[in-house]
Amino acid sequence: MSEQETRITQLEEVVAHQAKTIDELSDQLTAQWKVVEETRYKLERLVERFMTLEEETAEAPANTRPPHY
């Protein structure tokens, strides 16, 4: 095998390794994006629940001291 053929083979190996790494990173990014979207959805639901509770609390009568104070 000539020096040029050896170099081409090495370059092909590097490219193959990089392609595999890119595919793995892409899969990880997709999985993480799903987690981010799920977390965003849950946060939005929690904010809605908090706002509802806050509105209900604002409408409740003010706390007063019991008569025995």
Side-chain angles (χ1 to χ4, degrees):
M1 192 179 260
S2 71
E3 184 178 326
Q4 187 175 14
E5 289 173 336
T6 301
R7 182 161 167 75
I8 290 173
T9 301
Q10 290 172 342
L11 291 172
E12 289 173 341
E13 290 173 358
V14 168
V15 169
H17 177 71
Q18 288 177 346
K20 182 180 179 224
T21 301
I22 289 170
D23 287 342
E24 290 171 352
L25 290 172
S26 178
D27 292 344
Q28 289 177 357
L29 182 61
T30 301
Q32 288 178 353
W33 186 253
K34 288 178 184 177
V35 170
V36 167
E37 287 300 313
E38 289 171 4
T39 303
R40 180 179 297 156
Y41 176 79
K42 289 177 182 178
L43 178 61
E44 288 173 0
R45 300 296 78 76
L46 285 172
V47 167
E48 287 175 9
R49 287 179 61 193
F50 177 76
M51 295 303 289
T52 301
L53 289 173
E54 192 174 65
E55 289 171 7
E56 290 173 1
T57 303
E59 295 170 3
N63 288 338
T64 57
R65 288 186 162 189
H68 62 276
Y69 272 98

